[in-house]
Amino acid sequence: MKLNLKLKTKEIKKRLGRGIGSGKGKTSGRGVKGQKSRSGVAIKSFEGGQMPLYRRLPKRGFNPIKNKEKTAILNLSKIQLLIDKKIIPTDSKIDLKMLKLKKIIKKNITKFKILGNGDFSGKINLDTDLLSKSAKDKLTKTGSTFISKNNS
């Protein structure tokens, strides 16, 4: 008694277009004529004449590409870490220009905001565009000086 076990788990793909006698010859299972019988045709999102989903859904919102200001967000814990690693000196003024020079934030950033997440100790001189309430409270407790263009 012989057992015919298949060891391969992957099914072998049928070779198309190798003569009429092969079972998948001549038209290679694509039928006769028409758009789908040609190569390089993919009818994406076509729903047989029904209005496609992307056209049924309403258009919403508007995102202008120009004049988009990019804002970097820094937590007080991150600033404390940079001070501990001696990347930022405590005696100098921390502003957008200095952070770009030290490559802490990217060049295309136009504003930066300080958030009050984490612990912070020590005095710093800070010039920021935006400052959260919790960050403001923590900075006043440490006796740090800060200039904020507008608070939010």
Side-chain angles (χ1 to χ4, degrees):
M1 188 169 121
K2 265 189 174 179
L3 288 172
N4 191 7
L5 294 171
K6 272 190 175 180
L7 296 175
K8 289 184 180 179
T9 54
K10 190 178 177 185
E11 264 189 54
I12 300 163
K13 195 173 98 175
K14 196 160 200 176
R15 293 179 72 204
L16 304 175
R18 302 296 188 281
I20 297 166
S22 69
K24 287 284 181 187
K26 195 182 168 220
T27 54
S28 306
R30 287 176 175 263
V32 187
K33 297 183 183 175
Q35 187 179 8
K36 289 183 192 172
S37 70
R38 300 336 189 226
S39 67
V41 176
I43 307 169
K44 290 187 178 106
S45 72
F46 183 72
E47 298 184 18
Q50 177 175 304
M51 190 59 69
L53 181 68
Y54 71 91
R55 286 185 61 195
R56 274 181 275 165
L57 298 173
K59 289 185 190 176
R60 293 218 34 181
F62 176 73
N63 295 318
I65 298 164
K66 282 188 173 182
N67 305 329
K68 225 177 205 186
E69 290 185 336
K70 296 192 176 181
T71 307
I73 295 170
L74 283 173
N75 277 307
L76 285 175
S77 58
K78 175 83 173 176
I79 293 171
Q80 184 66 52
L81 185 84
L82 293 168
I83 290 168
D84 293 342
K85 288 186 176 180
K86 296 188 171 135
I87 296 168
I88 297 176
T90 52
D91 57 332
S92 68
K93 184 174 160 185
I94 299 168
D95 62 344
L96 187 69
K97 191 177 178 183
M98 192 270 278
L99 292 171
K100 283 182 182 179
L101 281 170
K102 300 273 184 182
K103 294 183 180 176
I104 296 162
I105 58 174
K106 291 180 182 177
K107 287 180 183 178
N108 63 347
I109 302 293
T110 53
K111 288 182 177 183
F112 85 102
K113 182 174 183 171
I114 303 292
L115 300 178
N117 194 1
D119 296 319
F120 184 75
S121 59
K123 283 185 173 184
I124 56 166
N125 186 2
L126 193 66
D127 183 13
T128 179
D129 297 297
L130 303 157
L131 189 69
S132 70
K133 266 187 181 178
S134 56
K136 196 175 185 180
D137 294 339
K138 285 181 182 180
L139 287 169
T140 48
K141 282 180 187 174
T142 59
S144 299
T145 56
F146 54 88
I147 303 163
S148 177
K149 273 92 177 174
N150 41 330
N151 297 341
S152 66

